[in-house]
């Protein structure tokens, strides 16, 4: 074992100098207070982090109030009479007027319009998810001449404003005898939602491992079997996410039903029924019934989001985590 020799600048036997030398040797080099990672830097970073965190939370609270405030206000006014709403629209209801909900469901036919919307949106979402996922899978996993051209045509369809195609759409639907029919509106919804579905699912299918599909192909599985039994179950988070986006967009669609359903009021969807109820309210003054109808239209969307919110978050983050 070797021992450290005393520094030549120190006199042996001087206790103060020896203690200073030992302290200097064990403490290591000192870091300036203003150096990166020093005490002042840590305190400054912590202060900035707390300020940014407080600002972010305040912004999120403000956003939540702006998003949930109108909904809570509509629910509150759905239990008030029209006179109470006009007198003080921000006050709490003195008593619960369930007659508004009965009027909206029965007399304003919100119940029938809701059933029509469920039929149309249910069929269109199912068709959109099936056709869109098949197209997206082929574009994402197979190379063929014109692959990128077809893909960019679908992407370009997302930028096409639907209002430009309303007049040609009317004459096309009229020539094919599809006006005032459920299946006609379902086909239009599918065509309207396919570009976004193909764009979303193509990116999702590219993130899935190809080794599993290759193993299934080696075992003798056909292309259709690989898609339906191997790749499609793996893409479940993405399917749920894009399915909810399509559901919200089709449930709230108003312009397309106004062109396709023009004659038969019994086949109106919910947005058309709410527009009729708003027009009737302007003459009758039943504002409580209008707010009740609005609340009934929003409830299915809230239920779908609450049930599938975890799947939506998983689908949006799955590609980033791989």
């Amino acid at each position: 074992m070797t021992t450290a020799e005393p520094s030549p600048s120190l006199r042996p036997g001087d206790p103060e100098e020896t203690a200073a030398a030992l302290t200097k040797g064990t403490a290591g080099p000192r870091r300036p207070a203003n150096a990166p990672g020093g005490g002042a830097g840590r305190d400054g970073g912590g202060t900035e982090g707390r300020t940014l965190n407080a600002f972010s939370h305040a912004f999120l609270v403000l956003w939540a109030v702006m998003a949930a405030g109108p909904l809570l206000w509509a629910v509150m006014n759905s239990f008030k009479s029209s006179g109470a709403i006009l007198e003080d629209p921000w006050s709490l209801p003195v008593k619960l007027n369930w007659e508004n909900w009965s009027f909206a469901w029965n007399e304003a036919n919100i119940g029938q319009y809701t059933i029509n919307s469920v039929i149309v949106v249910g069929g269109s979402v199912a068709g959109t998810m099936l056709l869109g996922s098949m197209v997206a899978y082929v574009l994402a996993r197979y190379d063929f001449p014109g692959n990128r051209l077809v893909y960019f045509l679908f992407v370009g369809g997302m930028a096409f404003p639907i209002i430009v195609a309303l007049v040609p759409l009317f004459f096309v639907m009229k020539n094919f005898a599809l006006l005032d029919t459920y299946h006609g509106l379902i086909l239009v919804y599918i065509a309207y939602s396919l570009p976004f579905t193909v764009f979303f699912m193509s990116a999702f299918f590219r993130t899935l491992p190809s080794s599993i599909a290759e193993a299934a192909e080696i075992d003798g599985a056909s292309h259709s079997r690989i898609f339906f039994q191997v790749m499609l179950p793996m893409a479940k988070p993405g399917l749920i996410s894009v399915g909810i986006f399509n559901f919200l967009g089709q449930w709230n669609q108003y312009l397309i039903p106004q062109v396709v359903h023009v004659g038969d009021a019994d086949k109106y969807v919910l947005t058309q029924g709410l527009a009729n109820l708003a027009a009737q309210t302007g003459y009758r003054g039943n504002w409580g019934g209008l707010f009740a109808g609005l609340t009934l239209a929003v409830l299915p969307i809230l239920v779908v989001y609450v049930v599938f919110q975890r799947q939506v978050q998983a689908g949006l983050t799955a590609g980033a985590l791989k």
Side-chain angles (χ1 to χ4, degrees):
M1 177 178 290
T2 61
T3 58
E5 296 181 359
S7 175
S9 62
L10 298 179
R11 291 176 298 172
D14 192 345
E16 295 180 358
E17 295 294 340
T18 304
L22 293 175
T23 304
K24 181 179 180 180
T26 57
R30 292 185 180 181
R31 179 178 295 175
N34 59 353
R42 288 195 299 268
D43 293 341
T47 303
E48 292 181 2
R50 287 192 295 270
T51 303
L52 181 61
N53 194 20
F55 177 78
S56 301
H57 281 78
F59 178 77
L60 291 176
V61 170
L62 177 62
W63 182 264
V65 171
M66 294 176 60
L71 175 61
L72 296 177
W73 180 69
V75 174
M76 180 182 66
N77 284 326
S78 67
F79 292 102
K80 296 165 60 176
S81 62
S82 298
I85 294 174
L86 295 176
E87 181 179 356
D88 190 359
W90 302 104
S91 64
L92 295 175
V94 179
K95 65 174 183 177
L96 301 180
N97 294 324
W98 293 101
E99 296 83 2
N100 296 333
W101 293 68
S102 177
F103 168 81
W105 187 263
N106 296 320
E107 297 185 29
N109 293 328
I110 295 297
Q112 181 62 41
Y113 299 147
T114 303
I115 295 175
N116 296 340
S117 293
V118 169
I119 295 173
V120 173
V121 175
S124 60
V125 168
T128 302
M129 299 310 301
L130 177 62
L131 298 178
S133 59
M134 294 172 67
V135 174
Y137 175 74
V138 172
L139 294 177
R141 312 296 289 195
Y142 295 95
D143 292 329
F144 56 89
N147 180 299
R148 304 307 294 171
L149 176 61
V150 175
Y151 174 76
F152 285 117
L153 284 176
F154 277 103
V155 174
M158 297 172 57
F160 188 80
I162 188 60
I163 193 171
V164 178
L166 291 181
V167 175
L169 176 64
F170 172 80
F171 287 104
V172 169
M173 300 296 289
K174 181 179 180 181
N175 293 334
F176 283 95
L178 294 176
L179 294 177
D180 297 322
T181 59
Y182 290 135
H183 56 278
L185 186 57
I186 289 174
L187 291 176
V188 175
Y189 275 178
I190 291 175
Y192 170 75
S193 303
L194 270 181
F196 174 73
T197 304
V198 172
F199 170 75
F200 187 96
M201 292 305 301
S202 295
F204 196 89
F205 277 122
R206 291 192 185 99
T207 63
L208 299 180
S210 58
S211 58
I212 300 178
E214 294 173 355
E217 187 175 1
I218 293 174
D219 290 339
S222 62
H223 292 293
S224 60
R225 187 173 182 181
I226 293 174
F227 172 72
F228 286 105
Q229 296 186 3
V230 178
M231 304 304 294
L232 203 60
M234 294 174 60
K236 181 180 177 182
L239 289 172
I240 294 177
S241 298
V242 73
I244 291 180
F245 291 145
N246 286 328
F247 173 81
L248 295 178
Q250 295 173 9
W251 185 269
N252 296 323
Q253 183 59 240
Y254 176 71
L255 289 177
I256 294 178
Q258 284 291 94
V259 174
V260 179
H261 285 178
V262 293
D264 192 356
D266 293 334
K267 293 184 179 180
Y268 280 0
V269 294
L270 191 55
T271 51
Q272 293 176 289
L274 288 176
N276 288 341
L277 179 58
Q280 296 174 6
T281 301
Y283 297 101
R284 300 181 183 180
N286 192 351
W287 296 101
L290 176 59
F291 282 112
L294 292 174
T295 305
L296 289 172
V298 173
L299 282 179
I301 299 177
L302 292 179
V303 171
V304 170
Y305 179 76
V306 169
V307 172
F308 294 104
Q309 60 176 338
R310 294 183 181 273
Q311 288 80 358
V312 172
Q313 296 172 1
L316 292 176
T317 58
L321 296 178
K322 290 185 179 295

